[in-house]
Amino acid sequence: MVLPARRAFLSLIASAVLLTGTAFAPPIAAAQAVQTFDRGPTPSRDRARMNTRVFDTVWNLVRRQYYDPNLHGLDWNAARETYRPQAIAAADDRDLYRALSAMLDLLDDDHAGAISPAVARRQDQQRTRRAVMGVSLARQDGDQWRIENVRAGSPAAEAGLQPGWVLQAIDGQSWGVDFDVEEGRPLQLDLTDEAGALQRVSVVPRVMDPIPAFSADASRPGVVVLRVEGFESGLGRWLGQRLAEVSPETDVILDLRGNPGGLLLEADATLSCFLPERQEWATRVSRNGRPMTLAIMPGCGNLSGPVTNDVALLVDGSSRSAAELTPAALQESGRALVIGQHTAGAVLISQDSPLPDGGRLTLSRADYVTAGGVRLEKRGVEPDIVVVPTAEERRAGLDPALDAAIAVLALDPEDQRAQSAARRSIF
């Protein structure tokens, strides 16, 4: 969930690190994190004091508020003994948050993560005009980061960077939590391509307008593509406005690829655009073990009821949290086809808490089960039609998943159901 720094709301999102857009980093193994921890110079007294406050805040919040009071069987006191000395000894944010991340990785929970003040600032500036390279990154292993997306027209695109390449270093050092880009200052990137060959590329960041949180594309006859970057405030209202503009004969494609999730309220609002009011769509189970049924509430703008348009949702391996529970609910109800790649399986209800240094802790506060009884955490959503684009297709600007969605929605309803029943069909 995208949250103000000093407030906390229920959310469904994975921890994030931003260059431009959102790069979501699944946890790395704790053993790897310990190996990469390198004690720097002795911290100042003030630094050590702040390190202590930050670590103790994180450790106590996990102990008192994590959705599983047994912490998956972890010895949390032993974790404190291991990682507290590392955190206190950290001379900078890079080493402090490396120690925190290593400890949180023990939970094996994609939602559990601590981000530094610099990363928190980048998150808060995501929808503002600012200097960017134009790539979103996901952690692959240790300090290596894989390019998930390259923004069209960005410095990264002009320099020839490609999705799937792995960032090894920037200006000779690994990407870290304290890294910032500046307009006009060239950056030397060392990357390996999909063949493992080294690519050394210079990128000059420049100021660009933000990517809109929501956008509509009605350029294709009979189809409207609604792109949702995140389940951010105002999504339901925006969807209602867009859907009110299309005829019932127009096919609707909801593109949730690369969507990290967001506000639980907006996930419910999105479902209200397509499913009837009061229909049960999920159960959340909090730390006390008491289940609470989630039922759809009106929230799709000014629409008086759900639309009847044929619907498909596009997902991929970077669709997380709310971008998984939404397609799961529509898929289970038979209301929409899900097309693309298997989702991330990062579906817990989380909440952000501010840390004393300006960083943030994201922590899972409740479990989630679909109306059909499926726990999506570590499982994800299997598309009705699996479409895996090749590297060549991506580089050529082709979109086979979108093409497949348009093609299947053009079929008669019986043929659409046949496609859905087939499952694991590959275009």
Side-chain angles (χ1 to χ4, degrees):
M1 178 181 281
V2 178
L3 303 171
R6 291 177 294 278
R7 300 183 64 190
F9 300 93
L10 288 178
S11 62
L12 288 145
I13 198 168
S15 301
V17 174
L18 304 172
L19 280 180
T20 181
T22 308
F24 288 87
I28 59 174
Q32 293 173 324
V34 171
Q35 290 170 2
T36 58
F37 180 85
D38 181 17
R39 291 185 185 276
T42 302
S44 68
R45 184 173 181 178
D46 287 343
R47 174 85 217 191
R49 186 180 296 114
M50 179 57 73
N51 290 347
T52 303
R53 290 181 60 198
V54 171
F55 180 91
D56 289 348
T57 298
V58 169
W59 188 87
N60 280 302
L61 283 170
V62 173
R63 180 172 62 91
R64 296 170 181 169
Q65 299 184 14
Y66 191 63
Y67 83 99
D68 178 3
N70 295 318
L71 302 179
H72 309 311
L74 287 174
D75 186 339
W76 202 234
N77 289 320
R80 183 177 187 271
E81 293 302 313
T82 298
Y83 293 103
R84 192 171 190 266
Q86 295 181 8
I88 294 173
D92 54 29
D93 283 351
R94 182 180 291 240
D95 280 345
L96 170 61
Y97 281 84
R98 184 175 290 168
L100 291 171
S101 295
M103 181 177 71
L104 292 170
D105 284 348
L106 298 175
L107 294 169
D108 191 25
D109 177 349
D110 282 358
H111 285 75
I115 58 173
S116 71
V119 176
R121 288 193 298 271
R122 286 197 290 273
Q123 279 192 359
D124 293 339
Q125 296 169 359
Q126 184 180 8
R127 303 301 174 203
T128 64
R129 183 174 170 81
R130 60 195 173 91
V132 299
M133 286 195 291
V135 295
S136 60
L137 302 173
R139 178 182 280 153
Q140 176 166 293
D141 184 25
D143 287 332
Q144 295 184 349
W145 298 75
R146 184 186 68 257
I147 296 178
E148 287 198 330
N149 294 291
V150 178
R151 181 176 176 179
S154 69
E158 294 163 359
L161 271 63
Q162 300 291 338
W165 288 10
V166 177
L167 176 63
Q168 305 288 346
I170 299 181
D171 289 344
Q173 62 179 337
S174 62
W175 158 257
V177 300
D178 50 357
F179 186 88
D180 274 316
V181 299
E182 300 175 10
E183 181 182 12
R185 182 172 71 86
L187 299 170
Q188 188 74 28
L189 276 60
D190 290 335
L191 310 104
T192 50
D193 62 22
E194 291 174 326
L198 177 66
Q199 302 287 338
R200 180 159 291 174
V201 182
S202 179
V203 177
V204 182
R206 69 168 179 269
V207 173
M208 297 185 71
D209 289 330
I211 298 173
F214 328 122
S215 59
D217 178 3
S219 62
R220 301 168 182 84
V223 178
V224 61
V225 180
L226 304 176
R227 169 68 184 168
V228 179
E229 299 289 339
F231 283 73
E232 301 178 20
S233 180
L235 173 57
R237 182 172 61 254
W238 179 84
L239 277 176
Q241 292 170 347
R242 300 289 79 77
L243 292 171
E245 297 169 354
V246 302
S247 68
E249 293 77 27
T250 300
D251 295 332
V252 174
I253 298 175
L254 195 61
D255 189 350
L256 304 181
R257 291 174 294 182
N259 185 316
L263 297 166
L264 182 61
L265 179 66
E266 296 298 345
D268 184 85
T270 298
L271 291 174
S272 75
C273 297
F274 306 104
L275 296 174
E277 182 180 349
R278 305 310 307 170
Q279 178 169 318
E280 296 180 0
W281 62 277
T283 299
R284 54 176 290 194
V285 183
S286 59
R287 181 182 172 93
N288 59 23
R290 289 196 295 267
M292 184 179 78
T293 300
L294 303 180
I296 292 172
M297 301 293 292
C300 190
N302 295 324
L303 290 183
S304 58
V307 298
T308 59
N309 306 67
D310 287 347
V311 182
L313 293 93
L314 302 181
V315 298
D316 63 10
S318 297
S319 301
R320 292 178 166 88
S321 287
E324 298 182 85
L325 65 90
T326 300
L330 293 173
Q331 185 185 63
E332 282 191 348
S333 66
R335 182 62 185 87
L337 291 173
V338 178
I339 298 172
Q341 301 174 65
H342 199 284
T343 64
V347 187
L348 292 171
I349 298 177
S350 62
Q351 184 175 333
D352 281 7
S353 298
L355 297 176
D357 63 347
R360 280 202 290 266
L361 171 70
T362 301
L363 195 63
S364 300
R365 312 301 173 101
D367 203 353
Y368 167 87
V369 180
T370 72
V374 177
R375 185 174 186 264
L376 293 175
E377 180 70 10
K378 304 300 181 186
R379 176 172 177 164
V381 178
E382 179 69 18
D384 297 300
I385 300 172
V386 177
V387 183
V388 182
T390 65
E392 292 76 15
E393 287 171 330
R394 290 198 305 267
R395 290 169 185 158
L398 302 178
D399 194 339
L402 177 58
D403 293 340
I406 294 172
V408 74
L409 289 177
L411 299 174
D412 292 333
E414 287 189 6
D415 292 331
Q416 290 184 22
R417 286 192 291 271
Q419 286 283 358
S420 177
R423 298 184 68 84
R424 296 184 180 274
S425 302
I426 299 180
F427 275 48

